[in-house]
Amino acid sequence: MSPIVKRKGEKFTLPGKYLLFILTILCTGMVLLTFNTTVFSGPLSAVAGYTVVPFEEGISSVGSWLANRSEELVQIRDLIAENENLKQQVDELTIENTRLQQDRYELTNLRELYSLDAQYDEYQKTGARIIARDSGNWFYSFVINKGAKDGIAVDMNVMAGSGLVGRIVDVGPNWSKVKAIIADDSNVSAMVLSSSDNMIVSGNLKLYASGVIEFGQLVDSDNVVVEGDKIVTSNISDKYLPGILVGYISTINQDANNLTKSGYVTPAVDFEHLEEVLVIMQLKQSIED
């Protein structure tokens, strides 16, 4: 190491690291001197009170501060670990709560299907789950998880909730496609339950945005049909079994010919929330035969 040389005209400066080292040695020496000797007793005790004691208090304060910070760091690490455990418990409880809510929702659906099954106990039925659907907000066309190997055939009627959903239009080995009565190209031969007056209920996806579909060709010569009347599938339908609830009349209008009436029907099924359905294992043709 080269010696420190003071050039002419330059002020001597001691590097910071050496100054820190010297001050550390000085403080340590003074502490040892205070505790192990009596040099600061007597006349020098006053000097020690103004010099050494403040150093000792400072060192003691620094030591206490470091000890407190060390304890706080330990507590912080413990709190972080505890927080991670709590987050994991919250995640587990959230998953469990979601599963329980799903189970309760499925139980409600199954109870509705059971009640629907009891209402139409004259028909043999099988339950199925929806596994796919066409794009859009509503279940106007969807696929269920049962097919030909389960005895499903084209034109079998499908129910859910409180009434008619639609019919089977295509069948595979383990899947079937259902067209709902709200689809634009769907028509159901129906009748007013209270008067047996016939009508045609037609699907309309634009209208269903308001919760209704349309009906027409209602001949109500006695003017007995009113809003709120039940609409069911008619005996003359070629695709649908008779007596299945379609919905309720919400609006009645007199047509321009003054012979027929038209209006809107509120479907009995919520086509926005479907998961399970019932398939009636009979065809209209088989009943006629």
Side-chain angles (χ1 to χ4, degrees), residues 200-273:
I200 299 297
V201 177
S202 302
N204 189 318
L205 291 177
K206 288 184 179 179
L207 277 178
Y208 191 69
S210 301
V212 297
I213 52 179
E214 56 190 350
F215 75 87
Q217 302 180 31
L218 169 64
V219 179
D220 180 26
S221 56
D222 296 329
N223 294 319
V224 296
V225 179
V226 296
E227 295 178 358
D229 277 348
K230 284 185 178 181
I231 306 300
V232 299
T233 52
S234 71
N235 296 321
I236 62 174
S237 175
D238 61 342
K239 300 294 185 183
Y240 292 99
L241 299 167
I244 303 175
L245 181 62
V246 176
Y248 305 86
I249 293 179
S250 61
T251 304
I252 303 177
N253 300 313
Q254 184 72 49
D255 293 336
N257 58 20
N258 290 322
L259 298 176
T260 59
K261 295 180 179 180
S262 59
Y264 303 128
V265 174
T266 302
V269 175
D270 180 5
F271 288 94
E272 189 176 0
H273 307 96

Side-chain angles (χ1 to χ4, degrees), residues 57-72:
E57 291 178 348
I59 293 174
S60 177
S61 299
V62 171
S64 299
W65 184 85
L66 290 176
N68 292 334
R69 297 295 82 75
S70 177
E71 184 177 353
E72 289 176 358

Side-chain angles (χ1 to χ4, degrees), residues 138-155:
W138 306 291
F139 288 83
Y140 67 91
S141 178
F142 56 87
V143 177
I144 59 176
N145 64 345
K146 289 189 177 180
K149 70 176 185 179
D150 304 293
I152 307 295
V154 172
D155 285 337

Side-chain angles (χ1 to χ4, degrees), residues 43-209:
L44 295 180
S45 60
V47 178
Y50 290 105
T51 57
V52 177
V53 172
F55 278 109
E56 292 177 354
E57 291 178 348
I59 293 174
S60 177
S61 299
V62 171
S64 299
W65 184 85
L66 290 176
N68 292 334
R69 297 295 82 75
S70 177
E71 184 177 353
E72 289 176 358
L73 288 175
V74 172
Q75 293 176 352
I76 290 173
R77 283 196 294 267
D78 292 341
L79 288 175
I80 291 175
E82 183 179 357
N83 186 51
E84 291 298 326
N85 291 333
L86 290 175
K87 285 182 178 179
Q88 184 177 356
Q89 292 179 16
V90 169
D91 292 340
E92 292 174 354
L93 290 174
T94 301
I95 294 172
E96 179 67 14
N97 185 51
T98 302
R99 187 184 65 80
L100 291 174
Q101 289 180 346
Q102 180 67 22
D103 290 344
R104 184 177 63 180
Y105 180 71
E106 290 182 357
L107 179 60
T108 301
N109 289 339
L110 292 175
R111 284 175 175 170
E112 290 179 352
L113 291 181
Y114 178 79
S115 177
L116 188 64
D117 185 25
Q119 294 177 34
Y120 299 93
D121 57 355
E122 69 270 28
Y123 298 134
Q124 179 187 356
K125 297 172 286 295
T126 184
R129 180 179 292 273
I130 297 174
I131 57 175
R133 72 171 184 176
D134 287 351
S135 60
N137 296 328
W138 306 291
F139 288 83
Y140 67 91
S141 178
F142 56 87
V143 177
I144 59 176
N145 64 345
K146 289 189 177 180
K149 70 176 185 179
D150 304 293
I152 307 295
V154 172
D155 285 337
M156 284 184 172
N157 297 180
V158 179
M159 300 189 301
S162 300
L164 183 66
V165 171
R167 63 186 179 89
I168 303 292
V169 294
D170 194 10
V171 176
N174 57 356
W175 58 269
S176 298
K177 188 173 184 179
V178 178
K179 179 189 290 184
I181 61 173
I182 64 171
D184 289 332
D185 56 348
S186 176
N187 293 291
V188 180
S189 179
M191 68 178 186
V192 181
L193 184 62
S194 61
S195 66
S196 297
D197 290 317
N198 292 315
M199 64 171 62
I200 299 297
V201 177
S202 302
N204 189 318
L205 291 177
K206 288 184 179 179
L207 277 178
Y208 191 69

